[in-house]
Amino acid sequence: MPEGPELHLASLFVNRMCGGVVFTGPVQKSEVSKNPEVSFSCPAYTIIATSRGKEVRLTLTPQKSDSAQGRCRRGKTGQVNQVQTMDIVFRFGMSGFFRFTTEAELPKHSHLRFYTNEKPCRVLSFVDTRRFGTWQPNGTWQLNRGPCIMFEYLSYRENVLSHLSDRAFDRPICEVLLNQKYFNGIGNYLRAEILFRLNIPPFVKARTVLEGLQTHLSDEDRKSVVKVEDTEVKEEVTNTEVKEEVTDREISDRAAVKEDESETPDLLRLCHTVPLEVIKLGGKGYDPENMDYTDFKSWLQCYYVEGMKSVRDHNGRTMWFKGDPGPMAPKDAKTKMKVKKEDDHDYKGGKKVKKAHSESTTKPKYIQETVQEKEVPQRRTGRRK
């Protein structure tokens, strides 16, 4: 499932590909999608993307011109109606991402499409093979999601530590890290990497891990944090390499709180800095054009890595870890060891290893990069016992 870094990289991708591009006409939805229609049509508009945790917002802005002063649709009476700027908020589900192609190369599973006014026409598409992703026209950030772990660090940290009395923190830390009310942007592979680096057993009580951390940073620490609310990141492409233009509000190495090298960062800080490492991988972490995930797989230290163990948590999600799982591990849990075999990597192509559906769907797209469409798990139709 795409996590916070991937959704931010998706927004960078949209801004890089659509910068200076003018779109036209209605927004088109596929016939098979059950998501709502997007009632927006305009002869000339632009698209800008913004991310927050596990959400991406596309802002469609009508362009003024001599022929169309933002007037984009005719009503039933023949009068020309003013079209206002529209925000569409996307949640990617298991397999959502954006593509920008020619109309002739339109992806098979493109469920929402924005057409340019060029000839030949190009299309920005929201592609979602499994159709778990959603979009909301005239949408806003979900109210039940906490501040973004990457770009609202101070607010996110305070939100967690000021609510430790919440019953949610009675659960194992590995399960709480997936609670978007407090950790907006963390997903399955990030929780494994973060807990592995701190050598924290995944199934210990979350409150035990988090108690004692500072709710409020000192003034000195605050000065060393780059403010990241409303961050705008720009990218330039040079010979297939993605280079980011640094602005005074951009997340980079300076975005994390400066620490003494001998000091071990706390869990909340790593939830902020580890996703930034993925973002620094650039297009190699989210690259729908080239599908190159070599750097990302080299970056992984725990998730689906040889020698690591895995066990299903209480929600059926596969947790990767090293060592003892902790006292709150499910009683009937069966721990598995990742052992290197020639034919056990379903992302290498060839015969797909048989596994439970819930485990296979928790691996990110990067681990399944070359799996053919026909190999995507389908709805079960097995025989009754």
Side-chain angles (χ1 to χ4, degrees), residues 250-314:
E250 180 180 349
I251 281 299
S252 65
D253 286 342
R254 299 174 300 164
V257 178
K258 295 181 180 178
E259 305 166 5
D260 187 287
E261 292 183 358
S262 63
E263 180 184 354
T264 301
D266 64 41
L267 177 66
L268 296 181
R269 195 163 294 169
L270 276 192
C271 288
H272 168 66
T273 58
V274 171
L276 296 181
E277 293 180 16
V278 180
I279 292 177
K280 286 176 62 179
L281 295 176
K284 302 300 187 296
Y286 178 91
D287 195 350
E289 300 299 307
N290 300 317
M291 297 296 184
D292 181 1
Y293 306 125
T294 305
D295 286 358
F296 175 81
K297 287 186 289 186
S298 298
W299 174 85
L300 291 171
Q301 300 178 32
C302 178
Y303 185 80
Y304 210 71
V305 171
E306 179 185 355
M308 297 297 120
K309 301 176 183 178
S310 67
V311 67
R312 300 288 182 86
D313 65 19
H314 294 89

Side-chain angles (χ1 to χ4, degrees), residues 161-211:
L161 294 179
S162 62
H163 289 88
L164 287 183
S165 60
D166 192 319
R167 293 179 59 186
F169 294 96
D170 291 334
R171 302 182 65 84
I173 186 61
C174 67
E175 296 175 10
V176 174
L177 286 176
L178 298 186
N179 187 335
Q180 301 301 293
K181 181 178 179 180
Y182 297 109
F183 295 91
N184 185 12
I186 296 293
N188 213 26
Y189 82 80
L190 282 176
R191 69 170 177 173
E193 297 300 315
I194 291 164
L195 294 176
F196 172 79
R197 294 189 186 196
L198 293 175
N199 197 27
I200 295 176
F203 293 96
V204 296
K205 184 179 289 188
R207 188 178 294 106
T208 302
V209 176
L210 296 170
E211 279 180 335

